[in-house]
Amino acid sequence: YIIDHSLLFDSSALEHLENLFDAAHDLGSSLVILPMLEKSNLDSENMSSYIKVLRYLSRKAASHNLIICIESLLKSSDLVNLLDTVNEKNLKAVFDTGNRVLECNNLENEIIALKKYIQHIHIKDKNKKGENVILGTGLVNFSEVFSALNYIKYKGALNFETTRGSDPIETARYHINLCNFFTNDVL
């Protein structure tokens, strides 16, 4: 909803998130991802405008024992600055390997910089055109990613946002095996 409705300029977006927090709590969820993209795009130009909104949403989410994870295309230094400024314990970050690789060529440094804030990981690979591709066939250096995740002692889940390939079950097995390989290889 917030991809299509601005959190800064459309009050229905805030109302929608408040309802989402209620529903997430009723379902026993512990985490909500805010995709700060498109209409709610978070960038270095508007991040100061989001401080009050994120503080408000963090406090609403906290009343439901929810963690909010921001998914954005901000470089890690800007995102850390924003999260430090908002200063709410339940406001964290999503690290999306496919989206980040299009913005930065050193994912290892990005992960290490976001260490204390990464709460959720999206695993995907993208080619130079920005298209999702089979893991290991695009721009993401998964050895570097898993090395950095090991370094920061990330223990959370890895969520696949991957292409399905011609045989979705076999493609999923391949993706799981690739991640297992790098997880075991860097230990």
Side-chain angles (χ1 to χ4, degrees), residues 3-115:
I3 288 175
D4 295 326
H5 299 85
S6 171
L7 271 173
L8 292 177
F9 305 112
D10 185 342
S11 62
S12 73
L14 284 175
E15 292 169 21
H16 180 79
L17 287 179
E18 289 174 8
N19 291 334
L20 175 68
F21 295 162
D22 290 337
H25 176 74
D26 291 346
L27 292 169
S29 297
S30 60
L31 184 135
V32 172
I33 296 171
L34 298 185
M36 307 291 288
L37 307 164
E38 297 183 29
K39 295 282 185 176
S40 292
N41 188 50
L42 172 62
D43 60 37
S44 59
E45 305 280 321
N46 69 11
M47 55 184 233
S48 62
S49 300
Y50 272 107
I51 292 169
K52 186 176 178 181
V53 171
L54 290 173
R55 215 173 259 141
Y56 171 80
L57 289 171
S58 294
R59 291 173 182 168
K60 282 288 187 184
S63 72
H64 293 301
N65 296 315
L66 293 169
I67 295 169
I68 294 177
C69 289
I70 294 176
E71 181 174 11
S72 80
L73 299 177
L74 275 177
K75 60 185 179 175
S76 61
S77 58
D78 287 337
L79 186 53
V80 166
N81 183 31
L82 174 67
L83 295 170
D84 283 346
T85 302
V86 174
N87 194 29
E88 295 290 337
K89 291 180 183 178
N90 68 325
L91 189 61
K92 302 291 182 179
V94 171
F95 191 86
D96 185 309
T97 60
N99 292 348
R100 291 304 315 142
V101 78
L102 296 176
E103 303 295 322
C104 171
N105 61 2
N106 191 327
L107 298 184
E108 187 171 23
N109 286 346
E110 291 280 293
I111 290 169
I112 291 168
L114 286 165
K115 174 184 178 175

Side-chain angles (χ1 to χ4, degrees), residues 121 132 147 156 167 171 173 185:
I121 304 280
N132 283 8
S147 177
D167 183 339
T171 302
R173 282 188 185 113
D185 187 52

